[in-house]
Amino acid sequence: MNELLNEILDSCRHHTNEGNLANYIPQLAKVDRNRFGICVVTPDGVFRAGDWQAPFTMQSIVKPLILLLALMDKGEAYVRNLVGVEATGKPFDAFNYSDQAMKSEHINPMINTGAIALCTAIEGYTYEEKFLRLLDLAKKLSGNPHLRVDEEVYYSEKATGNKNRALAYMLKAYGLVHDRVEDVLDVYFRACSIQVTTEDLAKIGLVLASKGKNIFTDELLVSSDYTRYVNAVLTTCGMYDGSGEFALNVGVPAKSGVGGGIMAVVPSRMGIGIYSPALDEKGNSVAGIKALEQLSKRLDLTIF
Amino acid sequence: MNELLNEILDSCRHHTNEGNLANYIPQLAKVDRNRFGICVVTPDGVFRAGDWQAPFTMQSIVKPLILLLALMDKGEAYVRNLVGVEATGKPFDAFNYSDQAMKSEHINPMINTGAIALCTAIEGYTYEEKFLRLLDLAKKLSGNPHLRVDEEVYYSEKATGNKNRALAYMLKAYGLVHDRVEDVLDVYFRACSIQVTTEDLAKIGLVLASKGKNIFTDELLVSSDYTRYVNAVLTTCGMYDGSGEFALNVGVPAKSGVGGGIMAVVPSRMGIGIYSPALDEKGNSVAGIKALEQLSKRLDLTIF
Amino acid sequence: MNELLNEILDSCRHHTNEGNLANYIPQLAKVDRNRFGICVVTPDGVFRAGDWQAPFTMQSIVKPLILLLALMDKGEAYVRNLVGVEATGKPFDAFNYSDQAMKSEHINPMINTGAIALCTAIEGYTYEEKFLRLLDLAKKLSGNPHLRVDEEVYYSEKATGNKNRALAYMLKAYGLVHDRVEDVLDVYFRACSIQVTTEDLAKIGLVLASKGKNIFTDELLVSSDYTRYVNAVLTTCGMYDGSGEFALNVGVPAKSGVGGGIMAVVPSRMGIGIYSPALDEKGNSVAGIKALEQLSKRLDLTIF
Amino acid sequence: MNELLNEILDSCRHHTNEGNLANYIPQLAKVDRNRFGICVVTPDGVFRAGDWQAPFTMQSIVKPLILLLALMDKGEAYVRNLVGVEATGKPFDAFNYSDQAMKSEHINPMINTGAIALCTAIEGYTYEEKFLRLLDLAKKLSGNPHLRVDEEVYYSEKATGNKNRALAYMLKAYGLVHDRVEDVLDVYFRACSIQVTTEDLAKIGLVLASKGKNIFTDELLVSSDYTRYVNAVLTTCGMYDGSGEFALNVGVPAKSGVGGGIMAVVPSRMGIGIYSPALDEKGNSVAGIKALEQLSKRLDLTIF
């Protein structure tokens, strides 16, 4: 497997020259665009290649975790009622809004508005506590107790996140957010700034692939009802408005982030983390997707 | 003329039962829906009928004053570059935004986004000063040195104005607003809360109808280039997405506010202020429009 | 006046190099882009300059005539109910359509959908007759009994007008058109292909400027209620999604066509026809607008 | 299994009172809303319950067959280039169209525009032949040589399909359809009118679930690359703008039609056909979805 991973990275490496680094916050634009790494975790072990240990921020990859924690804290009905599950046909940070109303059915957990709204559904007396519980979940699922926020990215997000502020005030204006907007956004900005490696993503992915179990310890970390919820939403909306293409060419639930990471979930088989920071115009890692396409073809990973 | 005005109010009074009071802030919903007044100012004098002296807040009627002051302070090119002049085909507080970009050409001075952006173009070291200069202009044009903010309405607007916050953060995200959003909004919320009577509106309207002159003192208060700019924009966009209907049935530049007031400008002839707080679904005073239709027919006011 | 017109054409001639010829049908792209002519008709006579006698097809300039005839044949209420009057904020051939419904309030007489729908409101046992009655109106208003269809342009429009077919079937699907789509479109395509000169346009404009009268014969050709209707709609929607800009810079009711013509109406004063075939991206004659801006400034034509 | 199916129909039968019969063509509104049937085909045999043998027209369920035949005739690259694969976030018969352009990336094979465009990609000297080849494919996949068009429904569709005509002319205007619109639509209307039973759907579904094989004869009917393509698109877009909800609650590729049928594909395990004609507001069979939810839960069918 390690050999296969190396082979795939090699054959896809030229794609790291395509696309552009995220530039909406300066920190994301500073990274080395040549970094390219992958980690696959299966019941047989952990397999790694390239810059698998390079750190990057989760960005939107944290959205499935926000959804998961909201489900664990409030249950399926509450979450489903707060945020819909249909693809919007629009970019991840678009207003999906018509006739002067923003309704839960217009948003889903994988676009910014949906994820921001779900931050309010996490339990916690304070927003500080809500965030710490989210970080704890990330630590538990990845098995990495050292996960932490990249403070520079966090402050940048906070300083420049005016579009997210607009989205959040819109949610507030339409009653989908009740608390102070800056408090809610603080959780969201910090969540996006959690630093991970491909191994962390692969391990989180494996839990989602294993009906919520840590297959190595056999501990049930999350209800299988919730991993099914998350995997379904990842399949239909996880790769932004490139989700259809990804379903066709890779065929597994997955989530990308503008930090350059992708987490993929191969039900019953494996979790995958991949990293290459240059993005296509939809915000997905160019080389990352190419490598996943190859991996899927080589190992017949598609669920379709 | 006074007789005519009384006659028109009488024949339109039953329309005050139609429509609804603005309910988006509690203060606006508390007013007496039976109030109905009109004031007409012409070179021949001031004519009044009904509750012409009832106070109400300007709300969107302040938008032409914001535009005027921005023009006076920064000139036509600057203003035109910051905020477009095309009708949007959408409600006044809608996002007019597509393909993930908000551009000056998508907004106009008579919708909320445009007016908020123009608040930044008013001169003043502080936003406090910007607002005071705007209030001064309102005083000068209306000849009423006692104009002041209705503090209750202002605080309500500030407390509940989350949709305007969303719009303003969107402007900031796309570089159309540079200053602190809350500072800019503070001017806007205060401006909307300036308390006037129909006489104040009629007098402001007369200045706009007289190429910027106070016809009683012959003093030039505003350049005729700027009154032309304002009147043109009022005609195409002043009555929200009911501007076409209004052009057809009344045929003069006008601006309505959700407080229930309408200011109409009859070029070279008169200024009109009218007040009746119940609104149609587009946000225009129902009885106010009906009365203006009659007045236009009786005095052949249309410019078309 | 002739001198002034020559002066204006000279100073605007360099603008004929800007913009592009309409290319959606081959015939429109074949014309000489250097042609530039103007005609002004006032109670004092007819004034002409440049290629004032060059023939071109009316294209959208026929829309006010379709509206006028529908008003004359069916009355204001019927027409108003069939087609709304608000600006759409969109290009002239756009679908303005949301939530799976096309409603009369979404369309106006100056966009393609509205004009197509209004073709059904013209009286006539056959669509052939409807068209001939429209052509008769054009002849009567222009005082030119020789107006005729440019057959080549007509066949081209018919052959390539698939977007208009789509719009028309949409109207039919939503009950705004009942007759056979191809019959309705045939009137529309022929109407767009009526060949005129700037003098024809100026004379039609003068009737609209004179409350429906032929000021030379004192004959009332159209009710002043209908010219008011048309002029109002021209002001708010006549220059496509450039109507706001035009109101600001020229300030009179006007209609442009992708053939390169513009007809302008200066209430109580004059009718203007202008021709220069290169268009800006909104579909308006570049040099034509520039010349009208100068003329408006020189003669203070604005109604605002 | 038969017992289980009967049990599920019984427990969901009350849902047949919910929703409405499709009314856009009279024939669809005439059916008995109490009909409720299901058929499941697995390697172990054919299982049936209720009105499994009631005939109904495929309507949109034919879309995956159109896609499949286009793939078989022209290959993946051609098809992918002609019609995109992203969910649109809009109803199945909506225009997904912005900025005056309709592009292949705006449409997918499961909405009307996409399916109409794909009809042109089926091989055949005439459109008659194209349709017969499509019907042959339906016969081959269902193993039912007697499949035929319901002529009454076909003529109704043809007579009333003006919205589809509008969509098709739009495709033509933007170069996504080249042939005569009525010819292309004729294939589409006939295809929608193919009459099937739940057993036919279940058998087609089983081929899609079995990588293109007839598992009983071991014959390869379709390349597995193409069934993968179809299943992926069914998952992200198959249930109209209710695809996300369906992925969550049922979790398998599926396609519904406004005739009341649903075909579901459980990869490697089974094909399902279900029928109950009353639809929810998105156009999906109400009781059909409920029964599939139960079946999925009882047999743990979800792929997530």
Side-chain angles (χ1 to χ4, degrees):
Chain A
M1 174 76 95
N2 281 326
E3 203 172 320
L4 173 67
L5 298 182
N6 276 309
E7 210 180 301
I8 288 175
L9 289 198
D10 283 347
S11 84
C12 294
R13 193 171 306 279
H14 64 286
H15 291 297
T16 61
N17 296 321
E18 299 164 17
N20 293 295
L21 296 179
N23 60 2
Y24 76 103
I25 62 170
Q27 273 65 22
L28 295 181
K30 281 187 209 154
V31 301
D32 176 359
R33 67 178 298 147
N34 296 315
R35 287 197 173 168
F36 192 18
I38 188 167
C39 176
V40 172
V41 188
T42 77
D44 298 332
V46 182
F47 307 93
R48 311 169 176 103
D51 302 313
W52 65 268
Q53 86 295 20
F56 54 92
T57 52
M58 293 188 85
Q59 300 300 332
S60 292
I61 306 176
V62 82
K63 286 170 180 167
L65 297 191
I66 293 172
L67 170 59
L68 208 51
L69 190 50
L71 285 165
M72 292 163 76
D73 283 355
K74 292 282 170 52
E76 200 165 323
Y78 181 97
V79 164
R80 179 62 193 74
N81 190 51
L82 180 60
V83 174
V85 292
E86 301 305 327
T88 62
K90 296 190 184 159
F92 65 95
D93 60 349
F95 280 82
N96 192 32
Y97 154 92
S98 59
D99 288 328
Q100 274 196 283
M102 179 174 265
K103 296 178 186 167
S104 62
E105 68 201 60
H106 293 160
I107 58 184
N108 73 53
M110 296 303 132
I111 60 171
N112 292 13
T113 33
I116 292 168
L118 286 173
C119 285
T120 68
I122 297 173
E123 294 286 357
Y125 283 108
T126 62
Y127 271 85
E128 173 76 15
E129 191 185 331
K130 284 178 204 275
F131 172 71
L132 291 176
R133 293 191 62 251
L134 180 68
L135 185 61
D136 276 347
L137 179 68
K139 289 176 179 174
K140 198 168 66 169
L141 298 191
S142 66
N144 179 353
H146 304 301
L147 289 187
R148 57 170 196 81
V149 165
D150 178 326
E151 297 286 332
E152 262 190 84
V153 171
Y154 160 60
Y155 284 116
S156 269
E157 304 247 12
K158 207 175 168 81
T160 62
N162 291 313
K163 193 159 179 195
N164 284 321
R165 278 187 182 86
L167 295 167
Y169 275 111
M170 203 70 181
L171 287 166
K172 181 148 186 168
Y174 286 103
L176 297 175
V177 156
H178 296 284
D179 297 336
R180 279 191 60 225
V181 160
E182 284 299 332
D183 289 342
V184 179
L185 285 174
D186 193 64
V187 170
Y188 182 69
F189 290 142
R190 285 209 232 183
C192 289
S193 308
I194 295 174
Q195 207 178 59
V196 291
T197 65
T198 58
E199 183 167 336
D200 298 320
L201 295 186
K203 286 182 171 167
I204 298 172
L206 185 61
V207 176
L208 289 169
S210 311
K211 296 181 182 279
K213 262 194 191 165
N214 177 329
I215 57 163
F216 301 112
T217 65
D218 222 42
E219 189 189 357
L220 185 70
L221 303 176
V222 190
S223 154
S224 66
D225 281 349
Y226 300 153
T227 58
R228 179 187 45 76
Y229 196 124
V230 170
N231 291 342
V233 174
L234 288 181
T235 303
T236 54
C237 323
M239 298 299 283
Y240 306 131
D241 46 337
S243 298
E245 191 76 37
F246 190 84
L248 200 61
N249 294 333
V250 184
V252 301
K255 186 76 205 78
S256 60
V258 293
I262 303 176
M263 172 184 76
V265 175
V266 190
S268 312
R269 294 178 59 185
M270 65 180 72
I272 306 170
I274 200 158
Y275 172 60
S276 166
L279 308 176
D280 63 26
E281 56 186 13
K282 292 180 172 179
N284 295 317
S285 168
V286 180
I289 285 187
K290 290 295 177 187
L292 283 170
E293 287 177 9
Q294 284 212 12
L295 192 64
S296 176
K297 215 160 275 180
R298 297 290 286 272
L299 301 178
D300 193 24
L301 300 180
T302 182
I303 59 175
F304 300 118
Chain B
M1 175 74 98
N2 282 325
E3 205 173 317
L4 173 66
L5 296 182
N6 276 309
E7 213 179 299
I8 287 175
L9 289 198
D10 283 348
S11 85
C12 294
R13 193 170 307 280
H14 64 284
H15 289 297
T16 62
N17 297 320
E18 298 163 17
N20 294 295
L21 296 178
N23 61 3
Y24 76 102
I25 64 170
Q27 273 64 22
L28 295 181
K30 279 186 207 156
V31 302
D32 177 359
R33 68 177 295 146
N34 296 315
R35 288 198 171 165
F36 193 19
I38 188 168
C39 178
V40 171
V41 188
T42 79
D44 298 332
V46 181
F47 307 93
R48 310 169 179 102
D51 303 313
W52 64 269
Q53 85 296 18
F56 53 93
T57 50
M58 294 187 85
Q59 301 297 335
S60 292
I61 305 174
V62 82
K63 285 171 180 165
L65 296 191
I66 293 172
L67 170 59
L68 209 48
L69 190 50
L71 285 165
M72 294 162 75
D73 284 354
K74 294 280 171 53
E76 201 166 322
Y78 181 98
V79 165
R80 180 61 194 74
N81 190 50
L82 180 60
V83 175
V85 292
E86 302 303 327
T88 62
K90 297 191 184 158
F92 65 95
D93 60 350
F95 281 82
N96 193 32
Y97 154 92
S98 58
D99 288 329
Q100 274 194 284
M102 179 173 266
K103 297 178 185 167
S104 62
E105 69 200 59
H106 293 161
I107 59 183
N108 73 54
M110 295 302 133
I111 59 172
N112 293 14
T113 32
I116 292 168
L118 286 173
C119 284
T120 67
I122 297 173
E123 294 285 357
Y125 283 108
T126 63
Y127 270 86
E128 174 76 15
E129 191 185 331
K130 284 177 203 275
F131 172 71
L132 290 176
R133 295 189 62 250
L134 179 68
L135 185 62
D136 276 347
L137 178 68
K139 288 175 179 174
K140 197 168 67 168
L141 298 190
S142 66
N144 179 353
H146 304 300
L147 288 187
R148 60 170 193 79
V149 164
D150 179 326
E151 297 285 334
E152 262 190 82
V153 171
Y154 160 59
Y155 285 116
S156 271
E157 304 247 13
K158 208 175 167 80
T160 62
N162 291 312
K163 194 159 176 194
N164 284 322
R165 279 188 181 85
L167 295 167
Y169 276 110
M170 204 67 182
L171 288 166
K172 182 148 185 168
Y174 286 103
L176 298 174
V177 157
H178 296 284
D179 297 335
R180 277 193 60 223
V181 160
E182 283 300 331
D183 288 343
V184 179
L185 285 173
D186 193 64
V187 171
Y188 183 68
F189 290 143
R190 285 208 232 185
C192 289
S193 307
I194 295 173
Q195 206 177 59
V196 291
T197 67
T198 59
E199 185 167 335
D200 298 320
L201 295 186
K203 286 181 171 165
I204 298 171
L206 185 60
V207 177
L208 289 170
S210 311
K211 295 181 183 277
K213 262 196 191 164
N214 177 328
I215 57 163
F216 301 113
T217 65
D218 223 41
E219 188 190 358
L220 185 70
L221 303 176
V222 190
S223 156
S224 66
D225 280 348
Y226 301 154
T227 61
R228 180 186 44 76
Y229 196 124
V230 170
N231 291 342
V233 174
L234 288 180
T235 303
T236 52
C237 323
M239 298 300 281
Y240 305 131
D241 44 338
S243 298
E245 191 78 36
F246 191 85
L248 199 61
N249 295 332
V250 183
V252 301
K255 185 75 206 81
S256 60
V258 293
I262 303 175
M263 172 183 77
V265 175
V266 191
S268 312
R269 295 178 59 184
M270 64 181 72
I272 306 170
I274 200 158
Y275 173 58
S276 166
L279 309 176
D280 63 23
E281 55 186 13
K282 291 179 172 178
N284 295 318
S285 168
V286 181
I289 285 186
K290 290 294 176 188
L292 283 170
E293 287 177 8
Q294 283 211 13
L295 193 64
S296 176
K297 216 161 275 180
R298 297 289 287 270
L299 301 177
D300 192 23
L301 300 180
T302 182
I303 59 176
F304 299 119
Chain C
M1 174 76 95
N2 283 324
E3 205 172 320
L4 174 65
L5 298 182
N6 276 308
E7 212 179 299
I8 288 175
L9 289 197
D10 283 348
S11 85
C12 294
R13 193 170 306 279
H14 64 286
H15 290 296
T16 62
N17 297 319
E18 299 163 17
N20 293 296
L21 297 179
N23 60 3
Y24 75 104
I25 63 170
Q27 274 63 22
L28 295 181
K30 282 186 207 154
V31 303
D32 176 359
R33 68 178 296 147
N34 296 315
R35 288 196 172 169
F36 192 20
I38 187 167
C39 177
V40 171
V41 189
T42 78
D44 298 332
V46 181
F47 307 93
R48 312 169 177 101
D51 303 312
W52 63 269
Q53 86 295 19
F56 53 93
T57 52
M58 294 188 84
Q59 300 299 334
S60 293
I61 305 175
V62 82
K63 285 171 180 166
L65 296 191
I66 293 172
L67 170 59
L68 208 49
L69 190 50
L71 285 165
M72 293 163 76
D73 283 354
K74 294 279 171 53
E76 200 165 324
Y78 180 97
V79 165
R80 181 61 193 74
N81 190 52
L82 181 60
V83 175
V85 293
E86 301 304 328
T88 62
K90 296 189 184 159
F92 65 95
D93 60 349
F95 281 82
N96 193 31
Y97 154 93
S98 58
D99 288 328
Q100 274 194 286
M102 179 173 267
K103 296 179 186 167
S104 62
E105 68 201 60
H106 292 159
I107 59 185
N108 73 53
M110 296 301 132
I111 60 172
N112 293 13
T113 34
I116 292 168
L118 286 173
C119 285
T120 69
I122 297 173
E123 294 285 358
Y125 282 108
T126 61
Y127 271 85
E128 173 75 16
E129 191 186 331
K130 284 177 204 276
F131 172 70
L132 290 175
R133 295 190 61 251
L134 180 67
L135 184 62
D136 276 347
L137 179 67
K139 289 175 178 175
K140 198 168 66 168
L141 298 190
S142 66
N144 179 353
H146 304 300
L147 288 188
R148 58 170 195 82
V149 164
D150 179 326
E151 298 286 332
E152 261 190 85
V153 171
Y154 160 59
Y155 286 115
S156 270
E157 304 247 13
K158 207 174 168 80
T160 60
N162 291 311
K163 193 161 178 192
N164 283 321
R165 280 188 180 86
L167 295 167
Y169 275 111
M170 204 68 182
L171 287 166
K172 181 147 185 168
Y174 285 103
L176 297 175
V177 157
H178 296 284
D179 298 336
R180 278 193 59 226
V181 160
E182 283 299 331
D183 289 344
V184 180
L185 285 174
D186 192 65
V187 171
Y188 182 69
F189 289 144
R190 285 209 232 183
C192 289
S193 308
I194 295 173
Q195 206 177 60
V196 291
T197 65
T198 59
E199 184 166 337
D200 298 320
L201 295 187
K203 286 182 171 167
I204 298 171
L206 184 60
V207 176
L208 290 170
S210 311
K211 295 180 183 280
K213 263 195 190 164
N214 177 328
I215 58 164
F216 300 113
T217 66
D218 223 41
E219 189 189 357
L220 185 69
L221 304 176
V222 190
S223 155
S224 67
D225 281 348
Y226 301 153
T227 58
R228 179 187 44 75
Y229 197 124
V230 170
N231 292 341
V233 174
L234 289 181
T235 304
T236 53
C237 323
M239 299 299 283
Y240 306 130
D241 45 337
S243 299
E245 192 77 36
F246 190 85
L248 199 62
N249 293 335
V250 184
V252 300
K255 185 76 205 81
S256 60
V258 293
I262 303 176
M263 172 183 76
V265 176
V266 189
S268 312
R269 294 178 61 185
M270 65 179 71
I272 305 169
I274 200 159
Y275 172 60
S276 167
L279 310 176
D280 63 24
E281 56 187 13
K282 292 179 174 181
N284 295 317
S285 168
V286 180
I289 285 187
K290 290 295 176 187
L292 283 171
E293 287 178 8
Q294 283 211 16
L295 193 63
S296 176
K297 216 161 275 179
R298 297 288 287 270
L299 301 177
D300 194 23
L301 301 180
T302 182
I303 60 176
F304 300 117
Chain D
M1 174 77 95
N2 282 325
E3 206 173 318
L4 173 67
L5 297 182
N6 276 308
E7 212 179 299
I8 288 174
L9 289 197
D10 283 347
S11 85
C12 293
R13 193 170 305 280
H14 65 284
H15 290 298
T16 62
N17 296 319
E18 298 163 18
N20 294 295
L21 296 178
N23 60 2
Y24 75 102
I25 64 169
Q27 274 62 23
L28 295 181
K30 280 186 205 156
V31 301
D32 177 1
R33 68 179 295 146
N34 296 315
R35 289 198 172 166
F36 193 19
I38 188 169
C39 177
V40 171
V41 188
T42 77
D44 299 331
V46 181
F47 307 93
R48 312 170 176 102
D51 302 313
W52 64 270
Q53 86 294 21
F56 54 93
T57 51
M58 293 188 85
Q59 301 298 335
S60 293
I61 306 175
V62 81
K63 285 171 181 164
L65 295 191
I66 293 172
L67 170 58
L68 208 49
L69 190 50
L71 286 165
M72 292 162 75
D73 284 354
K74 293 279 172 52
E76 201 166 323
Y78 181 97
V79 165
R80 180 61 194 75
N81 191 50
L82 181 60
V83 175
V85 292
E86 300 305 326
T88 62
K90 296 190 184 160
F92 65 96
D93 59 350
F95 281 83
N96 193 33
Y97 155 92
S98 60
D99 287 330
Q100 275 193 283
M102 178 173 267
K103 295 178 187 167
S104 61
E105 68 201 59
H106 292 161
I107 59 184
N108 72 55
M110 296 301 132
I111 60 171
N112 293 13
T113 33
I116 292 168
L118 285 174
C119 285
T120 68
I122 297 173
E123 293 287 355
Y125 282 109
T126 63
Y127 271 85
E128 175 75 15
E129 191 185 331
K130 285 177 202 277
F131 171 70
L132 290 176
R133 294 190 63 250
L134 181 67
L135 185 62
D136 276 346
L137 179 68
K139 289 175 179 175
K140 197 167 68 168
L141 298 190
S142 66
N144 180 352
H146 305 299
L147 288 188
R148 58 172 194 79
V149 165
D150 179 326
E151 298 285 333
E152 263 191 82
V153 170
Y154 161 58
Y155 285 116
S156 271
E157 304 247 14
K158 206 174 169 81
T160 62
N162 290 312
K163 194 159 176 194
N164 284 322
R165 278 189 182 86
L167 295 168
Y169 275 111
M170 205 68 181
L171 287 166
K172 181 147 184 168
Y174 285 103
L176 298 175
V177 157
H178 297 285
D179 297 335
R180 279 193 58 225
V181 160
E182 283 300 331
D183 289 342
V184 179
L185 285 173
D186 194 64
V187 170
Y188 183 68
F189 290 144
R190 285 209 231 184
C192 289
S193 307
I194 295 174
Q195 208 179 57
V196 291
T197 66
T198 59
E199 185 166 335
D200 298 321
L201 295 186
K203 285 180 173 168
I204 298 171
L206 185 59
V207 176
L208 290 169
S210 310
K211 295 181 183 277
K213 264 196 191 164
N214 177 327
I215 58 161
F216 300 114
T217 65
D218 223 41
E219 189 188 357
L220 186 70
L221 304 175
V222 191
S223 154
S224 66
D225 280 348
Y226 301 154
T227 59
R228 179 187 45 76
Y229 195 123
V230 171
N231 291 342
V233 174
L234 289 181
T235 302
T236 53
C237 323
M239 299 298 283
Y240 305 132
D241 46 336
S243 298
E245 191 77 37
F246 190 85
L248 199 61
N249 294 332
V250 183
V252 301
K255 185 75 205 80
S256 60
V258 293
I262 303 175
M263 173 183 75
V265 176
V266 190
S268 312
R269 293 179 59 185
M270 65 179 72
I272 306 170
I274 199 159
Y275 173 57
S276 165
L279 309 176
D280 61 26
E281 55 186 13
K282 291 179 173 179
N284 295 318
S285 168
V286 181
I289 285 187
K290 290 295 177 187
L292 283 171
E293 288 177 9
Q294 283 211 13
L295 193 64
S296 176
K297 217 162 274 179
R298 296 289 285 270
L299 300 178
D300 193 24
L301 301 180
T302 182
I303 58 175
F304 300 118

